[in-house]
Amino acid sequence: KRSGSTPDQPRAKRLLSSSCCTPYALLSPSPSLAPSPKYSSRSSRGQLVASLGSIPAPAASSQPATIQLLGPPEANLTKNYKFMFQKALAVRDVLSWRMEELGDALKAHYHLEDFTSVALPAQEAVTVLGQIGCDGNGKLNAVSVLLQGDREHSAGAQVPLDLSELQEYSLFPGQIVALEGTNSTGRRMLVSKLYEV
């Protein structure tokens, strides 16, 4: 039976003997850099042990494989390329192009009128295009959502969003959306409809 330990009666700790105070004494057996004899004497080296399904035999060919580039020449990489080393202006241009393309798709799919600026005050309902963002470093929630407008209509202006009139929505930072709502002061947009891809 093990003795219980309570705050009133703490259990006495056992003292370690001096022979096991070094880290090498705790290892059993002692560390060795040589491979085990069992591993070096194995006889099934390079042998197929199990397979799942049938594997077609490779076609024997004396011709070297040829590589053919598909698509226009300017779209193919023909020299070394550093991934994620793009200049900030190039990244901005790609993101703007993506927002314009998705904006055209949203306009055609939902039969929307032309987009307006997110920064202009509007007493009537207007339709705006932009990218969902967060006003802080924390997680995106109903009070931290903002919309960064596109370059063509809004010149990249940002406006906080009031989503209280929407019954349901699912948003994430970076999402391209079209919104319909009112922005009476120019400082906060009250969203009445959400159009997403």
Side-chain angles (χ1 to χ4, degrees), residues 55-61:
I55 301 171
S61 174

Side-chain angles (χ1 to χ4, degrees), residues 31 67 83 197:
I67 298 173
F83 180 64
V197 180

Side-chain angles (χ1 to χ4, degrees), residues 156-183:
Q158 296 180 352
V159 65
L161 299 178
D162 182 357
L163 304 171
S164 59
E165 287 191 4
L166 292 178
Q167 292 185 0
E168 60 180 359
Y169 56 88
S170 177
L171 301 173
F172 59 89
Q175 182 179 6
I176 307 294
V177 294
L179 302 172
E180 187 176 308
T182 57
N183 188 0

Side-chain angles (χ1 to χ4, degrees), residues 9-143:
Q9 298 175 344
R11 190 176 355 167
K13 294 182 180 178
R14 295 181 196 156
L15 296 175
L16 294 173
S17 64
S18 61
S19 63
C20 67
C21 292
T22 63
Y24 295 112
L26 298 175
L27 297 173
S28 174
S30 63
S32 167
L33 297 178
S36 73
K38 197 180 216 183
Y39 178 78
S40 59
S41 65
R42 71 192 189 282
S43 61
S44 62
R45 227 181 296 188
Q47 182 182 0
L48 182 63
V49 177
S51 65
L52 179 64
S54 61
I55 301 171
S61 174
S62 61
Q63 298 285 342
T66 58
I67 298 173
Q68 180 183 2
L69 297 176
L70 301 175
E74 63 272 5
N76 294 319
L77 291 176
T78 56
K79 57 185 177 184
N80 289 340
Y81 177 74
K82 289 186 175 182
F83 180 64
M84 295 184 71
F85 277 82
Q86 295 89 356
K87 297 188 186 293
L89 291 176
V91 172
R92 184 194 69 180
D93 290 340
V94 169
L95 292 175
S96 297
W97 171 81
R98 183 177 138 238
M99 193 179 303
E100 290 171 13
E101 291 291 313
L102 290 175
D104 291 340
L106 285 168
K107 194 184 293 185
H109 185 270
Y110 292 105
H111 307 292
L112 301 174
E113 296 178 9
D114 200 19
F115 299 118
T116 59
S117 174
V118 300
L120 291 177
Q123 301 296 329
E124 298 177 354
V126 293
T127 307
V128 295
L129 173 69
Q131 181 176 8
I132 296 295
C134 184
D135 67 353
N137 291 332
K139 293 183 177 180
L140 188 68
N141 55 38
V143 295

